Amino acid sequence: MKKIHIVGLGLLGGSFALALKKAKPELIFTGYDANPKNLSDAITLGLVDEAREKADLDTDVIVLATPADTLPGLLENTLNEINDNTLVVDFGSTKSKLCEAVAAHPKRAQYLAGHPIAGTEYSGPKAAKADLLDRKVFIICEMEKTDIHLKGKAYEVLEALNMKLRFMDPEEHDAQLAFVSHLSHISSFMLGKTVLDKMEDDKNVFDMAGSGFASTVRLAKSSPAMWAPIMLENKKNILEGLSMYIANLSKFRDKIIADDFEGLFHEMEKINKIRDILDLS
Amino acid sequence: MKKIHIVGLGLLGGSFALALKKAKPELIFTGYDANPKNLSDAITLGLVDEAREKADLDTDVIVLATPADTLPGLLENTLNEINDNTLVVDFGSTKSKLCEAVAAHPKRAQYLAGHPIAGTEYSGPKAAKADLLDRKVFIICEMEKTDIHLKGKAYEVLEALNMKLRFMDPEEHDAQLAFVSHLSHISSFMLGKTVLDKMEDDKNVFDMAGSGFASTVRLAKSSPAMWAPIMLENKKNILEGLSMYIANLSKFRDKIIADDFEGLFHEMEKINKIRDILDLS
């Protein structure tokens, strides 16, 4: 292995580059970002050695780390242009539509559908950190559809980054992520909106915000360019989760209206069992 | 000053004791917790020197750090029993009803209505930490109603803990806290419930939870004994915030249903300004 090309030099693509450079300093990194500022920042920060839109034909692994709505077209074009020895991996947060889009592509075996479970509320090349992916989970979907030889290249890279591989089908991935990631972002964005709305009649409303608020609202700092597409790419699952969430909030509100102390207490007590579940995972 | 008495030896009362012991090792600490296990843990951990239900008559400051629903009765009884040189301070998360409850009490001037903006999702004496209150905000309500001499004792203690004093009226306090604390807890509890509900048909739903989910759901580990009372003590403000939150979530859902990419994008982009507000505070 000697050459890696990364499309999308933001938080994930950049962190991947930093970590892999450290683990395998002999590799050559090329890359591209459609945003000229991001591309020049990425070069300045040394995330990639050379900027170019198309990967060289002797590239071993091409990583696509762009927003979810750009991936189907980008993946198809990339597959059309590569040699037989190149593997394409994507880092997208939704997998069903993407896997469907290339299901019949003649070079489907040169694609590995991936998703690193890692991130922060920040975005862009400057947010990249060499340890972001370290010991995190990397989900692989439809692994049986990828050529076994090319898959070896991905495993070599992911192992060098200390990532833990998990295998699941795209539908299961999207259903689970809707609940444990996408819904968290919506709850956080809407909490932020609610307090911003309140600020219109009470400009000091943020003064007393403590660590609890900071924690629940942190994801409201996330990039719209990344998250707006996810809302539509994973629409069905997100709507299921969001409707359940709204219904739960409404029932909780009813209990407050009814001064139902016992109901509120027992509801919260039952939810506390999340302590054990989260401490295990 | 020589003697402090603390009622409620949990996260807040215990952390207060640990910090003040460190800052003023000459003080004698007595205390009580209605839960016998908590009381014996507090003694074992050295949070207080001696357990007793009633404060000695030469106590300088009595701190009430029990759940919000117990405070009105406890505060009234405590005021009834103290000498002229004792100050009573509470640490409750809601202030309007409590201040109202003792507004006409003959010893009103011996009470200081307080609220330290500090906490974690854990509770009980073992969760206490000496640095929990360090450099945090301590809100004081109706400060003009407290005797100036006795107030000096509170300032001496709070200064020793490096706490930053803020003054506001009880109604303003409760309105703001509903939005930047109480609503965060509801959003987090209901997010936890939604994913637990989903676990009934997908037992692996938590497997892919990352740091974003952990952050938004952290407060769902909080104590029902503390939080169920707050829901009713601050009912009016919480219902206002919760209704706004549900309406915002519903409008966001409508945008997803309508495939309104632009609407979703611009909504999230506007909310991103919370970055600047939170980084300032």
Side-chain angles (χ1 to χ4, degrees):
Chain A
M1 182 143 26
K2 63 174 192 181
K3 206 176 270 183
I4 307 285
H5 183 74
I6 304 168
V7 185
L9 297 165
L11 173 68
L12 273 183
S15 296
F16 170 81
L18 284 175
L20 192 57
K21 279 195 154 180
K22 222 167 164 178
K24 293 183 171 284
E26 72 281 9
L27 291 175
I28 297 164
F29 288 81
T30 62
Y32 183 70
D33 199 295
N35 176 326
K37 174 77 169 76
N38 280 359
L39 185 55
S40 81
D41 281 351
I43 297 291
T44 308
L45 292 164
L47 301 184
V48 292
D49 305 308
E50 285 178 52
R52 65 193 60 169
E53 187 164 359
K54 304 287 177 191
D56 297 338
L57 288 176
D58 60 345
T59 298
D60 295 277
V61 179
I62 300 176
V63 171
L64 308 181
T66 59
D69 56 336
T70 64
L71 283 171
L74 178 64
L75 175 57
E76 202 184 334
N77 291 340
T78 306
L79 287 173
N80 290 344
E81 290 162 353
I82 54 174
N83 269 350
D84 293 349
N85 282 319
T86 302
L87 174 73
V88 184
V89 185
D90 86 294
F91 282 1
S93 300
T94 60
K95 298 264 78 75
S96 300
K97 286 194 179 181
L98 191 57
C99 286
E100 259 174 57
V102 293
H105 196 287
K107 294 188 185 163
R108 173 63 185 86
Q110 290 182 251
Y111 163 56
L112 187 72
H115 180 200
I117 305 294
T120 71
E121 67 274 34
Y122 303 108
S123 55
K126 290 178 179 168
K129 298 190 297 178
D131 64 350
L132 184 75
L133 300 173
D134 188 51
R135 277 164 293 186
K136 300 289 166 56
V137 166
F138 190 92
I139 303 176
I140 292 176
C141 294
E142 299 187 335
M143 55 96 75
E144 71 289 352
K145 295 197 177 173
T146 308
D147 175 87
I148 194 156
H149 166 71
L150 290 175
K151 215 156 33 184
K153 295 190 187 202
Y155 293 166
E156 186 182 335
V157 162
L158 296 168
E159 197 172 292
L161 302 181
N162 298 316
M163 296 199 78
K164 303 182 231 172
L165 303 191
R166 296 285 181 277
F167 303 92
M168 56 204 303
D169 69 50
E171 291 70 31
E172 190 186 0
H173 169 277
D174 288 2
Q176 293 193 359
L177 269 289
F179 280 80
V180 295
S181 168
H182 310 166
L183 187 57
S184 285
H185 283 78
I186 298 174
S187 84
S188 195
F189 266 105
M190 291 303 106
L191 183 65
K193 178 172 166 55
T194 304
V195 183
L196 287 168
D197 287 350
K198 179 66 176 173
M199 204 169 74
E200 288 177 15
D201 56 64
D202 178 359
K203 66 180 172 39
N204 301 317
V205 66
F206 282 100
D207 287 0
M208 299 303 137
S211 59
F213 181 70
S215 172
T216 44
V217 88
R218 178 170 71 83
L219 301 177
K221 302 176 181 177
S222 301
S223 156
M226 171 170 179
W227 283 96
I230 291 173
M231 298 302 148
L232 301 183
E233 295 290 321
N234 200 18
K235 180 174 173 171
K236 182 180 74 69
N237 293 303
I238 288 174
L239 286 178
E240 182 196 341
L242 183 50
S243 294
M244 285 169 64
Y245 184 53
I246 292 171
N248 281 329
L249 287 163
S250 299
K251 281 181 277 179
F252 195 82
R253 178 173 56 179
D254 291 342
K255 289 193 176 73
I256 297 175
I257 292 170
D259 289 318
D260 180 7
F261 183 88
E262 291 299 313
L264 292 166
F265 188 97
H266 290 300
E267 180 90 311
M268 291 195 244
E269 197 174 37
K270 270 192 287 178
I271 300 162
N272 276 169
K273 79 173 172 204
I274 208 162
R275 288 175 192 159
D276 310 320
I277 295 170
L278 290 180
D279 292 349
L280 280 176
S281 65
Chain B
M1 184 148 22
K2 63 174 194 181
K3 206 177 269 182
I4 307 284
H5 183 75
I6 304 168
V7 185
L9 297 166
L11 173 67
L12 273 183
S15 296
F16 170 81
L18 285 175
L20 193 56
K21 279 196 155 179
K22 224 168 164 177
K24 292 185 171 287
E26 71 282 9
L27 291 176
I28 296 163
F29 289 80
T30 62
Y32 183 71
D33 199 295
N35 177 324
K37 174 77 168 74
N38 280 359
L39 185 56
S40 81
D41 282 350
I43 298 291
T44 307
L45 293 163
L47 302 184
V48 291
D49 305 308
E50 284 177 54
R52 64 193 64 170
E53 188 165 357
K54 304 288 177 190
D56 298 339
L57 289 176
D58 60 345
T59 298
D60 295 278
V61 180
I62 300 175
V63 170
L64 308 180
T66 60
D69 56 336
T70 63
L71 282 172
L74 178 64
L75 175 56
E76 203 185 331
N77 291 340
T78 307
L79 286 174
N80 290 342
E81 289 162 354
I82 53 175
N83 269 350
D84 293 349
N85 282 319
T86 303
L87 175 74
V88 185
V89 184
D90 86 293
F91 282 1
S93 299
T94 59
K95 298 263 79 77
S96 301
K97 286 193 178 182
L98 191 56
C99 287
E100 260 174 54
V102 293
H105 195 285
K107 294 189 187 164
R108 173 64 185 84
Q110 290 183 251
Y111 164 57
L112 186 73
H115 180 201
I117 305 295
T120 72
E121 66 274 35
Y122 303 108
S123 54
K126 290 179 178 167
K129 298 190 298 179
D131 64 350
L132 184 75
L133 300 173
D134 189 51
R135 276 164 295 185
K136 300 289 166 53
V137 166
F138 190 92
I139 303 177
I140 293 176
C141 294
E142 298 187 336
M143 55 97 76
E144 71 289 352
K145 295 198 177 173
T146 308
D147 175 85
I148 194 155
H149 166 72
L150 291 174
K151 217 157 32 185
K153 295 190 187 200
Y155 293 165
E156 187 183 334
V157 163
L158 296 168
E159 197 171 291
L161 302 180
N162 297 317
M163 297 198 78
K164 304 182 231 174
L165 304 190
R166 296 284 182 277
F167 303 92
M168 56 204 303
D169 68 51
E171 292 70 31
E172 190 186 1
H173 169 277
D174 288 2
Q176 292 193 359
L177 269 288
F179 280 79
V180 295
S181 168
H182 309 167
L183 187 57
S184 284
H185 283 78
I186 298 174
S187 86
S188 195
F189 267 105
M190 292 303 104
L191 184 65
K193 177 172 166 58
T194 304
V195 183
L196 287 168
D197 288 349
K198 179 67 177 172
M199 203 168 78
E200 287 176 16
D201 57 65
D202 179 358
K203 66 178 171 41
N204 301 317
V205 67
F206 282 99
D207 288 0
M208 299 302 138
S211 58
F213 181 69
S215 172
T216 44
V217 89
R218 179 170 69 82
L219 301 178
K221 302 176 181 176
S222 302
S223 156
M226 171 171 179
W227 282 95
I230 291 173
M231 298 303 149
L232 301 184
E233 295 290 321
N234 199 18
K235 180 174 174 172
K236 183 180 74 73
N237 293 302
I238 288 175
L239 286 178
E240 182 196 341
L242 183 50
S243 294
M244 284 170 65
Y245 185 54
I246 292 172
N248 281 329
L249 287 162
S250 298
K251 281 181 277 179
F252 195 84
R253 179 173 57 179
D254 291 343
K255 288 192 176 75
I256 297 175
I257 292 171
D259 289 318
D260 179 7
F261 183 87
E262 292 298 313
L264 292 166
F265 188 97
H266 290 301
E267 179 91 310
M268 291 194 243
E269 198 174 37
K270 271 192 286 178
I271 300 163
N272 275 171
K273 79 172 172 205
I274 208 163
R275 288 175 192 159
D276 310 319
I277 295 171
L278 290 180
D279 293 349
L280 280 177
S281 65

